[in-house]
Amino acid sequence: MILVATSEATFRKLGAALPPDLFQLSHTATASEALKLAAAASLIVVDAELPGGGVDLCRRLRGDPAKSSIPLVLLVSNKGEHIQAITD
């Protein structure tokens, strides 16, 4: 399953256009819900501006031994967030 953690409708619409027979796509709009669903994911896409903190969600996922090996993609919208995310 690919978990998309974002409140942005654009990313949810893009995912809906992909063939459902290739993979399961799951959406959540909050960091707390993403934490609950993360264990079943093979890839997690996180919006840095996710309610509850997208960068913090990535930190928490990397800090959990059961979830630390799941590949993460962090979506950032400005240079400051990008630099902060790489630093963290």
Side-chain angles (χ1 to χ4, degrees):
M1 175 209 13
I2 296 174
L3 176 60
V4 179
T6 180
S7 59
E8 293 292 321
T10 303
F11 295 109
R12 290 193 302 266
K13 288 178 185 175
L14 288 172
L18 299 172
D21 56 330
L22 294 179
F23 55 86
Q24 179 186 0
L25 190 65
S26 183
H27 294 99
T28 182
T30 66
S32 61
E33 185 65 22
L35 278 173
K36 293 176 189 174
L37 299 173
S42 57
L43 171 68
I44 303 173
V45 179
V46 179
D47 183 352
E49 296 184 21
L50 181 70
V55 174
D56 184 55
L57 171 62
C58 290
R59 285 187 198 116
R60 292 176 72 184
L61 290 168
R62 286 295 173 248
D64 182 341
K67 299 172 185 148
S68 64
S69 64
I70 302 169
L72 294 173
V73 175
L74 180 64
L75 306 171
V76 295
S77 62
N78 67 50
K79 185 177 179 181
E81 284 179 349
H82 177 75
I83 291 170
Q84 183 65 42
I86 289 173
T87 302
D88 293 343

